[in-house]
Structure formats: structure tokens, C-alpha cells
Amino acid sequence: MKQALYNTFIDKKNAGEKSFAVLIDPDKVTLQSIVPLVALAVEAKVDYFFVGGSLIISNHLDVCIQAIKANCNIPVLLFPGSPSQVSRYADALLYLSLISGRNPELLIGQHVISAPFVKKSGLEIIPTGYMVIDGGAPTTVSYISNASPIPADKNDIAMCTAMAGEMLGMKLIYMDAGSGAKTPIAEGMIQAVSKNIESPLIIGGGITTPEKAYLNCKAGADVIVIGNAIEKDVSLIKEMSDAIKSVAVKA
Ligand code: 1GP
């Protein structure tokens, strides 16, 4: 099994480095807009591109990833909303199991159906415990997943869910308030989870300011994912990256 990118997550965590992932929703970019976006990401030393969405209406996932890959060496990880969002042009697949929900289809059902196809893709597969946290308004992910998010103030539920995911073998834990969340995940919850797991912790959903990204890292996030705020203002990439990377934790 390939694990080069997973090793990168671990190496960075062990070195106390915080990482920045820019989320690209193929529905929200044009091929023309990818080139300048990638240039800004390279300049800002973005660590990863996550590509995907709860719902992809357009049909240009492959070309979108090829355009990114043609213009930089930043790794591309698929962040799929459904098994149809697999592209062999990416570097790795966040193999998500929605451990915060109780919808068997998203815990294991869709994985079974797509397993031969996913294996054949040759992608690096990174088992990821995906936890949706209530972000103050119904988001696409909460509607599509047909599963209740973890209440925003239930730190203990989040903590136990992440611990269980890790013990079940999930290599990464991704806590998400949902794209465009009104309320991003509170630092208290990030802290409660990060203190109790060793796996790299990814945090996203509704982060719109460098200050919030900084505080999330201070609380224990290892990777910050930002989509919407950058779609609205690409110049934020540099400020976000600087804020995230200014948090150096002694290993
Ligand atoms: C959503 O975590 C990501 O799944 C990013 O959210 O688009 O709100 O930054 P935003």
C-alpha cells in the first residue's frame, strides 16, 4: 500500500509544523481560474490541495486536477462527497468514513460498492475518520449525509468519536463544520479532541479569518482547510498561510 503522503502528515506533525490545505470545489472554479490560484498557492507555500464537494454538478474533476498538477507540485488529495468523485490524476484519496453519523451507507456501505474501483485507481488511500460538527446552519454535507452533526458544544462526544475512530484504524481525523458554516468549530472542542488522539487532526468549515486559523492551530489542529473564504478572495491565501505557519509547536 502506498503511504508517501500519509507519511508527510506524520512527519509534519512530529516536527510540530502546521499545514494549510486549500479546498477546491470543481463546481466553483473554471480552468482559467485555476492557473492564477495555483500560482498564489505556490507562493504562499500551501501544503495540500483538497479537491471535492458534497455535490459535484459539473463534470470536470479530471481536467481540474490535471490543470493543478500541470502547474505545481503541491499534492492533490481527493475529498470526495461520493464514490463517483475518484480521479486517478490525484495523489491520494481521503477515504472518508462518516464516524459522527449513524448512516451505514457513509460508514461502510458506499465503500463496499466502490472498493474494487477505488483499489484499481492506484491512488494512495488514507483512511480518514470524518466528523461533521454543527456549524450553526444546515450545510450541504449535513443534508446530503442524512446524518445529524455532533452538537457544537458537546466536546466529550467529539472526543470519544475521534478516539474510537483512531482505535478503529483511521489514520487521520477530519472535523468539519461544513463548507460555509456560520460558526466554525470552537477551540475548546479542537483541544479536547487533539489532546486525546495521536493521529493528525484536520479542521475545516467556516474559517474566514487568519486569526481563526491561528487559534485553531494553537488549540491543536494540524491541518487547516479553507475553501469558501478563498473562493471569495484569493488574496487571503497568503495571509492564511502565514498565520497557520506562524504556529510552531515544539516537537
Ligand atoms: C468544507 O472543511 C471544508 O468541507 C472547508 O470549508 O469552504 O467553509 O472553508 P469552507
Side-chain angles (χ1 to χ4, degrees), residues 1-195:
M1 270 250 193
K2 291 183 186 171
Q3 54 171 39
L5 263 175
Y6 168 65
N7 288 342
T8 307
F9 279 91
I10 295 296
D11 291 347
K12 284 181 193 275
K13 184 172 175 89
N14 289 342
E17 282 174 40
K18 304 295 180 177
S19 304
F20 180 23
V22 171
L23 174 65
I24 296 187
D25 181 339
D27 278 349
K28 305 217 179 116
V29 286
T30 60
L31 287 180
Q32 291 71 23
S33 66
I34 286 180
V35 179
L37 174 71
V38 167
L40 286 172
V42 170
E43 202 191 314
K45 299 192 166 48
V46 165
D47 299 276
Y48 311 106
F49 280 115
F50 285 4
V51 179
S54 296
L55 193 67
I56 295 190
I57 296 161
S58 65
N59 194 18
H60 68 178
L61 179 65
D62 281 347
V63 281
C64 176
I65 295 173
Q66 283 173 300
I68 300 171
K69 299 297 294 175
N71 288 285
C72 71
N73 294 320
I74 299 172
V76 174
L77 291 92
L78 293 165
F79 171 47
S82 74
S84 63
Q85 294 177 30
V86 173
S87 165
R88 65 188 173 89
Y89 298 105
D91 296 292
L93 168 69
L94 294 175
Y95 199 53
L96 307 173
S97 183
L98 183 63
I99 58 174
S100 58
R102 296 297 177 267
N103 178 347
E105 278 308 304
L106 301 179
L107 275 163
I108 182 68
Q110 296 195 352
H111 309 69
V112 172
I113 292 165
S114 59
F117 165 65
V118 169
K119 188 147 188 170
K120 219 168 146 185
S121 71
L123 291 164
E124 177 179 342
I125 309 295
I126 311 181
T128 303
Y130 187 52
M131 296 168 51
V132 178
I133 313 298
D134 193 346
T139 54
T140 312
V141 65
S142 55
Y143 176 77
I144 296 279
S145 67
N146 194 19
S148 319
I150 294 179
D153 59 349
K154 299 290 182 199
N155 295 359
D156 48 356
I157 298 181
M159 179 188 95
C160 295
T161 306
M163 287 165 72
E166 182 175 72
M167 289 188 283
L168 279 166
M170 312 282 166
K171 303 272 195 239
L172 305 174
I173 298 293
Y174 187 161
M175 289 166 70
D176 195 348
S179 200
K182 266 194 192 159
T183 319
I185 300 170
E187 277 75 36
M189 182 179 276
I190 297 172
Q191 212 166 24
V193 169
S194 73
K195 276 202 295 206

